[in-house]
C-alpha cells in the first residue's frame, strides 16, 4: 500500500490527506484506510488535485454509488456531476447556487432518503468569501445536557426546501437525534436551512426548542472553516455534519464539481 498521511485540522472536525494522486485508481487497502479515516474525521480534504470528471466519479465510487442530483441542470456529458457556480454563459447559468450565503444544512435532508456523502472539487474560486464551514453533530450532541438529551429523544422534525417545487408531496420527517448507520454514534440532525418544524410538539414550543438546538449545534466550538484553493477535493459525511457557505462577490467566478451519494432515511 502506498503511504499517505492523514493530518487533523486541529479544529472541531476534518483532516487533510496528503500523498495520494486521485487521477489513478487506488488499491483496496488504501480505500479501506481512507474510509476509516473518513468515519473518524467526518470531513477529508485533498489539495492540489488535477482530476477530470471521470476521476471524480471513480473516486466517489470508493464510498458509494454516485447518483445524479435531483435538481435540474443543463445537459452534461457525465450526469453524476452537479455543477455549482455563479457563472453565466450566453445569458444562462452553467450551474446552481449562485453567490449568496447558504445557511447550515445537511444535504438533501428534505428528501426521505437524504444525502449521505458529498464531494466538492474546486476549479475556480473567488479571492475572498465562498468558504465552507462544517459543524460536528457528534460533538454538539455529546455536549448537550442530559435533560435535553432525554427531552429530544424520539422527537421527529419536518424538513422542507425553501423552493417548494423541490419538496416531496408528503412531509419528509427525520429524527431530531439521528444514529449514524456505520459508527452507531448519535448526532443532532436539524438545521436552520432545511428543518421546518418539530412534528411532535406544538409550533411555538417546537420553534423555541429548534432555535435552541440550532444555536447549540452551530456554536463556534463545534465548527471548522475550510478556505478553498483551486484543486481542492473535499469529502464530507452528511449523516453527522451540517455545513454552510459564506457569500462572495458575484463579480468573481466560482466553479465547482459536485457528486453525491444518497442513502436510506435517517434513523
Amino acid at each position: 500500500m502506498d503511504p499517505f498521511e492523514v493530518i487533523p485540522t486541529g479544529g472541531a472536525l476534518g483532516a487533510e490527506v496528503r500523498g495520494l494522486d486521485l487521477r489513478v485508481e487506488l488499491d483496496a487497502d488504501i480505500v479501506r484506510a481512507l474510509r476509516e479515516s473518513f468515519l473518524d474525521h467526518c470531513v477529508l480534504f485533498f489539495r492540489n488535485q488535477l482530476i477530470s470528471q471521470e476521476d471524480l466519479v471513480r473516486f466517489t465510487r470508493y464510498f458509494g454509488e454516485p447518483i445524479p442530483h435531483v435538481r435540474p441542470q443543463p445537459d452534461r456529458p457525465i450526469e453524476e456531476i452537479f455543477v455549482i457556480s455563479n457563472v453565466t454563459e450566453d445569458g444562462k447559468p452553467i450551474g446552481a447556487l449562485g453567490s449568496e450565503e447558504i445557511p447550515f444544512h445537511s444535504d438533501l435532508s428534505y428528501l426521505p432518503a437524504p444525502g449521505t456523502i458529498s464531494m466538492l472539487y474546486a476549479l475556480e474560486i473567488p479571492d475572498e468569501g465562498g468558504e465552507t464551514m462544517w459543524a460536528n453533530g457528534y460533538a454538539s450532541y455529546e455536549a448537550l445536557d442530559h435533560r435535553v438529551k432525554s427531552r429530544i429523544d424520539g422527537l421527529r422534525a419536518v424538513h422542507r426546501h425553501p423552493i417548494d417545487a423541490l419538496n416531496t408531496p408528503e412531509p419528509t420527517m427525520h429524527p431530531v437525534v439521528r444514529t449514524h448507520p456505520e459508527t452507531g454514534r448519535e448526532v443532532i440532525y436539524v438545521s436552520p436551512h432545511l428543518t421546518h418544524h418539530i412534528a411532535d410538539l406544538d409550533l411555538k414550543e417546537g420553534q423555541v426548542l429548534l432555535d435552541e438546538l440550532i444555536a447549540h449545534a452551530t456554536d463556534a466550538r463545534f465548527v471548522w472553516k475550510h478556505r478553498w484553493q483551486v484543486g481542492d477535493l473535499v469529502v464530507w459525511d452528511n449523516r453527522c455534519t451540517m455545513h454552510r457557505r459564506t457569500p462572495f462577490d458575484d463579480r468573481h467566478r466560482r466553479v465547482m464539481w459536485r457528486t453525491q451519494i444518497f442513502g436510506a432515511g435517517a434513523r
Side-chain angles (χ1 to χ4, degrees):
M1 181 175 73
D2 294 334
F4 67 92
E5 293 182 279
V6 178
I7 304 167
T9 63
L13 71 172
E16 180 181 0
V17 179
R18 296 180 183 174
L20 293 178
D21 183 349
L22 303 184
R23 294 173 296 182
V24 301
E25 189 168 348
L26 304 180
D27 69 37
D29 288 339
I30 289 177
V31 171
R32 276 194 294 271
L34 279 178
R35 289 180 61 91
E36 289 174 5
S37 295
F38 178 66
L39 292 176
D40 289 340
H41 297 287
C42 307
V43 180
L44 297 179
F45 67 95
F46 306 75
R47 298 278 198 198
N48 303 313
Q49 299 295 320
L50 298 173
I51 60 173
S52 66
Q53 292 192 356
E54 292 86 353
D55 295 330
L56 178 55
V57 171
R58 183 186 63 249
F59 183 75
T60 305
R61 288 198 172 103
Y62 296 140
F63 294 81
E65 187 60 30
I67 296 175
H69 200 281
V70 296
R71 294 182 66 156
Q73 283 218 322
D75 290 339
R76 52 205 187 275
I78 300 179
E79 61 180 12
E80 293 91 348
I81 299 290
F82 182 61
V83 179
I84 293 177
S85 181
N86 65 316
V87 176
T88 59
E89 294 180 356
D90 298 324
K92 297 180 180 180
I94 67 169
L97 303 184
S99 62
E100 297 180 353
E101 176 190 3
I102 301 175
F104 271 113
H105 63 285
S106 177
D107 281 337
L108 306 166
S109 71
Y110 58 92
L111 298 177
T116 54
I117 298 170
S118 299
M119 303 192 186
L120 198 57
Y121 176 65
L123 290 92
E124 299 181 57
I125 59 170
D127 292 335
E128 294 183 6
E131 298 99 349
T132 305
M133 305 166 72
W134 278 271
N136 187 331
Y138 291 142
S140 59
Y141 177 77
E142 290 164 2
L144 285 173
D145 182 274
H146 290 296
R147 290 170 294 180
V148 177
K149 288 181 179 178
S150 296
R151 183 184 179 195
I152 64 177
D153 183 44
L155 293 180
R156 300 166 300 159
V158 173
H159 293 241
R160 291 186 62 80
H161 197 281
I163 300 174
D164 194 56
L166 296 176
N167 292 304
T168 56
E170 295 296 322
T172 293
M173 286 193 288
H174 299 300
V176 171
V177 179
R178 178 177 189 177
T179 301
H180 193 290
E182 293 189 73
T183 67
R185 297 174 66 188
E186 292 179 305
V187 55
I188 298 174
Y189 195 65
V190 294
S191 74
H193 187 41
L194 298 178
T195 305
H196 189 267
H197 66 275
I198 295 177
D200 304 294
L201 301 175
D202 70 60
L203 288 178
K204 184 176 180 180
E205 179 186 4
Q207 190 61 53
V208 170
L209 177 59
L210 186 58
D211 291 345
E212 291 174 354
L213 289 174
I214 288 171
H216 173 80
T218 58
D219 186 271
R221 60 192 155 141
F222 308 125
V223 174
W224 166 73
K225 179 190 289 187
H226 181 69
R227 292 177 171 84
W228 289 92
Q229 299 177 15
V230 171
D232 281 359
L233 173 63
V234 180
V235 186
W236 69 91
D237 193 337
N238 289 290
R239 300 165 294 184
C240 56
T241 70
M242 57 178 163
H243 58 284
R244 68 177 285 260
R245 186 188 72 190
T246 64
F248 60 97
D249 189 331
D250 196 48
R251 295 172 296 179
H252 298 160
R253 293 169 62 99
R254 189 177 190 264
V255 182
M256 307 184 118
W257 294 339
R258 176 178 144 170
T259 56
Q260 51 281 316
I261 297 167
F262 292 76
R267 66 179 181 85

PDB file of all heavy atoms in Angstrom, residues 138-156:
ATOM      1  N   TYR A 138     -21.749  15.079  16.085  1.00  0.00           N
ATOM      2  CA  TYR A 138     -21.395  14.196  17.204  1.00  0.00           C
ATOM      3  C   TYR A 138     -21.063  15.036  18.436  1.00  0.00           C
ATOM      4  O   TYR A 138     -21.589  14.808  19.535  1.00  0.00           O
ATOM      5  CB  TYR A 138     -20.152  13.369  16.871  1.00  0.00           C
ATOM      6  CG  TYR A 138     -20.286  12.314  15.822  1.00  0.00           C
ATOM      7  CD1 TYR A 138     -19.247  12.094  14.920  1.00  0.00           C
ATOM      8  CD2 TYR A 138     -21.401  11.485  15.735  1.00  0.00           C
ATOM      9  CE1 TYR A 138     -19.312  11.100  13.959  1.00  0.00           C
ATOM     10  CE2 TYR A 138     -21.485  10.490  14.784  1.00  0.00           C
ATOM     11  CZ  TYR A 138     -20.437  10.294  13.894  1.00  0.00           C
ATOM     12  OH  TYR A 138     -20.504   9.305  12.947  1.00  0.00           O
ATOM     13  N   ALA A 139     -20.134  15.980  18.240  1.00  0.00           N
ATOM     14  CA  ALA A 139     -19.642  16.763  19.375  1.00  0.00           C
ATOM     15  C   ALA A 139     -20.755  17.601  19.991  1.00  0.00           C
ATOM     16  O   ALA A 139     -20.842  17.727  21.223  1.00  0.00           O
ATOM     17  CB  ALA A 139     -18.491  17.655  18.924  1.00  0.00           C
ATOM     18  N   SER A 140     -21.612  18.174  19.148  1.00  0.00           N
ATOM     19  CA  SER A 140     -22.681  19.004  19.692  1.00  0.00           C
ATOM     20  C   SER A 140     -23.692  18.164  20.465  1.00  0.00           C
ATOM     21  O   SER A 140     -24.200  18.600  21.507  1.00  0.00           O
ATOM     22  CB  SER A 140     -23.366  19.805  18.586  1.00  0.00           C
ATOM     23  OG  SER A 140     -23.914  18.956  17.600  1.00  0.00           O
ATOM     24  N   TYR A 141     -23.977  16.940  19.994  1.00  0.00           N
ATOM     25  CA  TYR A 141     -24.890  16.085  20.733  1.00  0.00           C
ATOM     26  C   TYR A 141     -24.286  15.685  22.074  1.00  0.00           C
ATOM     27  O   TYR A 141     -24.960  15.739  23.110  1.00  0.00           O
ATOM     28  CB  TYR A 141     -25.258  14.837  19.938  1.00  0.00           C
ATOM     29  CG  TYR A 141     -26.146  13.893  20.724  1.00  0.00           C
ATOM     30  CD1 TYR A 141     -27.500  14.170  20.882  1.00  0.00           C
ATOM     31  CD2 TYR A 141     -25.622  12.766  21.348  1.00  0.00           C
ATOM     32  CE1 TYR A 141     -28.316  13.347  21.637  1.00  0.00           C
ATOM     33  CE2 TYR A 141     -26.432  11.929  22.103  1.00  0.00           C
ATOM     34  CZ  TYR A 141     -27.777  12.221  22.247  1.00  0.00           C
ATOM     35  OH  TYR A 141     -28.579  11.398  23.006  1.00  0.00           O
ATOM     36  N   GLU A 142     -23.021  15.290  22.049  1.00  0.00           N
ATOM     37  CA  GLU A 142     -22.374  14.841  23.287  1.00  0.00           C
ATOM     38  C   GLU A 142     -22.311  15.950  24.329  1.00  0.00           C
ATOM     39  O   GLU A 142     -22.311  15.678  25.538  1.00  0.00           O
ATOM     40  CB  GLU A 142     -20.972  14.312  22.976  1.00  0.00           C
ATOM     41  CG  GLU A 142     -20.998  12.994  22.206  1.00  0.00           C
ATOM     42  CD  GLU A 142     -19.667  12.658  21.556  1.00  0.00           C
ATOM     43  OE1 GLU A 142     -18.698  13.437  21.736  1.00  0.00           O
ATOM     44  OE2 GLU A 142     -19.593  11.625  20.868  1.00  0.00           O
ATOM     45  N   ALA A 143     -22.266  17.212  23.872  1.00  0.00           N
ATOM     46  CA  ALA A 143     -22.170  18.335  24.803  1.00  0.00           C
ATOM     47  C   ALA A 143     -23.516  18.761  25.379  1.00  0.00           C
ATOM     48  O   ALA A 143     -23.559  19.631  26.253  1.00  0.00           O
ATOM     49  CB  ALA A 143     -21.511  19.523  24.106  1.00  0.00           C
ATOM     50  N   LEU A 144     -24.602  18.175  24.915  1.00  0.00           N
ATOM     51  CA  LEU A 144     -25.924  18.523  25.441  1.00  0.00           C
ATOM     52  C   LEU A 144     -26.075  18.076  26.883  1.00  0.00           C
ATOM     53  O   LEU A 144     -25.549  17.032  27.298  1.00  0.00           O
ATOM     54  CB  LEU A 144     -27.026  17.863  24.604  1.00  0.00           C
ATOM     55  CG  LEU A 144     -27.341  18.449  23.237  1.00  0.00           C
ATOM     56  CD1 LEU A 144     -28.337  17.544  22.519  1.00  0.00           C
ATOM     57  CD2 LEU A 144     -27.882  19.869  23.335  1.00  0.00           C
ATOM     58  N   ASP A 145     -26.835  18.831  27.633  1.00  0.00           N
ATOM     59  CA  ASP A 145     -27.222  18.438  28.983  1.00  0.00           C
ATOM     60  C   ASP A 145     -28.054  17.154  28.921  1.00  0.00           C
ATOM     61  O   ASP A 145     -28.824  16.952  27.982  1.00  0.00           O
ATOM     62  CB  ASP A 145     -28.033  19.569  29.617  1.00  0.00           C
ATOM     63  CG  ASP A 145     -28.446  19.273  31.043  1.00  0.00           C
ATOM     64  OD1 ASP A 145     -29.499  18.623  31.215  1.00  0.00           O
ATOM     65  OD2 ASP A 145     -27.726  19.698  31.948  1.00  0.00           O
ATOM     66  N   HIS A 146     -27.926  16.296  29.909  1.00  0.00           N
ATOM     67  CA  HIS A 146     -28.668  15.020  29.913  1.00  0.00           C
ATOM     68  C   HIS A 146     -30.177  15.241  29.871  1.00  0.00           C
ATOM     69  O   HIS A 146     -30.911  14.452  29.259  1.00  0.00           O
ATOM     70  CB  HIS A 146     -28.294  14.192  31.152  1.00  0.00           C
ATOM     71  CG  HIS A 146     -26.904  13.644  31.112  1.00  0.00           C
ATOM     72  ND1 HIS A 146     -26.497  12.729  30.168  1.00  0.00           N
ATOM     73  CD2 HIS A 146     -25.825  13.878  31.893  1.00  0.00           C
ATOM     74  CE1 HIS A 146     -25.232  12.419  30.364  1.00  0.00           C
ATOM     75  NE2 HIS A 146     -24.797  13.108  31.401  1.00  0.00           N
ATOM     76  N   ARG A 147     -30.658  16.310  30.479  1.00  0.00           N
ATOM     77  CA  ARG A 147     -32.095  16.580  30.458  1.00  0.00           C
ATOM     78  C   ARG A 147     -32.564  16.921  29.043  1.00  0.00           C
ATOM     79  O   ARG A 147     -33.656  16.523  28.634  1.00  0.00           O
ATOM     80  CB  ARG A 147     -32.423  17.725  31.423  1.00  0.00           C
ATOM     81  CG  ARG A 147     -32.265  17.368  32.901  1.00  0.00           C
ATOM     82  CD  ARG A 147     -32.365  18.583  33.774  1.00  0.00           C
ATOM     83  NE  ARG A 147     -31.248  19.492  33.548  1.00  0.00           N
ATOM     84  CZ  ARG A 147     -31.074  20.651  34.183  1.00  0.00           C
ATOM     85  NH1 ARG A 147     -31.973  21.048  35.079  1.00  0.00           N
ATOM     86  NH2 ARG A 147     -30.035  21.409  33.939  1.00  0.00           N
ATOM     87  N   VAL A 148     -31.726  17.651  28.307  1.00  0.00           N
ATOM     88  CA  VAL A 148     -32.083  17.979  26.923  1.00  0.00           C
ATOM     89  C   VAL A 148     -32.049  16.711  26.065  1.00  0.00           C
ATOM     90  O   VAL A 148     -32.940  16.498  25.230  1.00  0.00           O
ATOM     91  CB  VAL A 148     -31.131  19.047  26.351  1.00  0.00           C
ATOM     92  CG1 VAL A 148     -31.468  19.338  24.889  1.00  0.00           C
ATOM     93  CG2 VAL A 148     -31.211  20.323  27.179  1.00  0.00           C
ATOM     94  N   LYS A 149     -31.060  15.868  26.277  1.00  0.00           N
ATOM     95  CA  LYS A 149     -30.998  14.608  25.527  1.00  0.00           C
ATOM     96  C   LYS A 149     -32.262  13.783  25.754  1.00  0.00           C
ATOM     97  O   LYS A 149     -32.828  13.221  24.808  1.00  0.00           O
ATOM     98  CB  LYS A 149     -29.768  13.799  25.943  1.00  0.00           C
ATOM     99  CG  LYS A 149     -28.449  14.367  25.456  1.00  0.00           C
ATOM    100  CD  LYS A 149     -27.290  13.480  25.909  1.00  0.00           C
ATOM    101  CE  LYS A 149     -25.960  14.020  25.418  1.00  0.00           C
ATOM    102  NZ  LYS A 149     -24.819  13.217  25.884  1.00  0.00           N
ATOM    103  N   SER A 150     -32.707  13.725  26.986  1.00  0.00           N
ATOM    104  CA  SER A 150     -33.928  12.959  27.291  1.00  0.00           C
ATOM    105  C   SER A 150     -35.142  13.603  26.632  1.00  0.00           C
ATOM    106  O   SER A 150     -36.036  12.904  26.133  1.00  0.00           O
ATOM    107  CB  SER A 150     -34.143  12.887  28.809  1.00  0.00           C
ATOM    108  OG  SER A 150     -33.095  12.179  29.430  1.00  0.00           O
ATOM    109  N   ARG A 151     -35.179  14.932  26.614  1.00  0.00           N
ATOM    110  CA  ARG A 151     -36.329  15.631  26.045  1.00  0.00           C
ATOM    111  C   ARG A 151     -36.443  15.403  24.541  1.00  0.00           C
ATOM    112  O   ARG A 151     -37.546  15.252  24.007  1.00  0.00           O
ATOM    113  CB  ARG A 151     -36.221  17.120  26.340  1.00  0.00           C
ATOM    114  CG  ARG A 151     -37.421  17.917  25.852  1.00  0.00           C
ATOM    115  CD  ARG A 151     -37.221  19.394  26.079  1.00  0.00           C
ATOM    116  NE  ARG A 151     -38.366  20.165  25.576  1.00  0.00           N
ATOM    117  CZ  ARG A 151     -38.358  21.473  25.370  1.00  0.00           C
ATOM    118  NH1 ARG A 151     -37.266  22.177  25.639  1.00  0.00           N
ATOM    119  NH2 ARG A 151     -39.432  22.082  24.917  1.00  0.00           N
ATOM    120  N   ILE A 152     -35.331  15.374  23.829  1.00  0.00           N
ATOM    121  CA  ILE A 152     -35.388  15.284  22.361  1.00  0.00           C
ATOM    122  C   ILE A 152     -35.357  13.853  21.861  1.00  0.00           C
ATOM    123  O   ILE A 152     -35.580  13.616  20.665  1.00  0.00           O
ATOM    124  CB  ILE A 152     -34.251  16.104  21.711  1.00  0.00           C
ATOM    125  CG1 ILE A 152     -32.878  15.536  22.079  1.00  0.00           C
ATOM    126  CG2 ILE A 152     -34.362  17.574  22.089  1.00  0.00           C
ATOM    127  CD1 ILE A 152     -31.714  16.268  21.414  1.00  0.00           C
ATOM    128  N   ASP A 153     -35.105  12.903  22.741  1.00  0.00           N
ATOM    129  CA  ASP A 153     -35.076  11.502  22.324  1.00  0.00           C
ATOM    130  C   ASP A 153     -36.446  11.093  21.765  1.00  0.00           C
ATOM    131  O   ASP A 153     -37.467  11.250  22.430  1.00  0.00           O
ATOM    132  CB  ASP A 153     -34.700  10.618  23.504  1.00  0.00           C
ATOM    133  CG  ASP A 153     -34.591   9.160  23.111  1.00  0.00           C
ATOM    134  OD1 ASP A 153     -34.006   8.869  22.052  1.00  0.00           O
ATOM    135  OD2 ASP A 153     -35.102   8.300  23.861  1.00  0.00           O
ATOM    136  N   GLY A 154     -36.476  10.599  20.550  1.00  0.00           N
ATOM    137  CA  GLY A 154     -37.711  10.140  19.927  1.00  0.00           C
ATOM    138  C   GLY A 154     -38.484  11.203  19.176  1.00  0.00           C
ATOM    139  O   GLY A 154     -39.458  10.876  18.477  1.00  0.00           O
ATOM    140  N   LEU A 155     -38.089  12.472  19.291  1.00  0.00           N
ATOM    141  CA  LEU A 155     -38.782  13.521  18.545  1.00  0.00           C
ATOM    142  C   LEU A 155     -38.436  13.454  17.060  1.00  0.00           C
ATOM    143  O   LEU A 155     -37.341  13.038  16.671  1.00  0.00           O
ATOM    144  CB  LEU A 155     -38.406  14.904  19.087  1.00  0.00           C
ATOM    145  CG  LEU A 155     -38.874  15.262  20.496  1.00  0.00           C
ATOM    146  CD1 LEU A 155     -38.413  16.676  20.853  1.00  0.00           C
ATOM    147  CD2 LEU A 155     -40.388  15.151  20.621  1.00  0.00           C
ATOM    148  N   ARG A 156     -39.358  13.894  16.222  1.00  0.00           N
ATOM    149  CA  ARG A 156     -39.146  13.952  14.775  1.00  0.00           C
ATOM    150  C   ARG A 156     -39.320  15.389  14.301  1.00  0.00           C
ATOM    151  O   ARG A 156     -40.094  16.154  14.878  1.00  0.00           O
ATOM    152  CB  ARG A 156     -40.142  13.046  14.044  1.00  0.00           C
ATOM    153  CG  ARG A 156     -40.059  11.572  14.415  1.00  0.00           C
ATOM    154  CD  ARG A 156     -41.295  10.853  13.903  1.00  0.00           C
ATOM    155  NE  ARG A 156     -42.511  11.407  14.491  1.00  0.00           N
ATOM    156  CZ  ARG A 156     -43.723  11.273  13.969  1.00  0.00           C
ATOM    157  NH1 ARG A 156     -43.885  10.620  12.817  1.00  0.00           N
ATOM    158  NH2 ARG A 156     -44.777  11.800  14.572  1.00  0.00           N
TER     159      ARG A 156
END
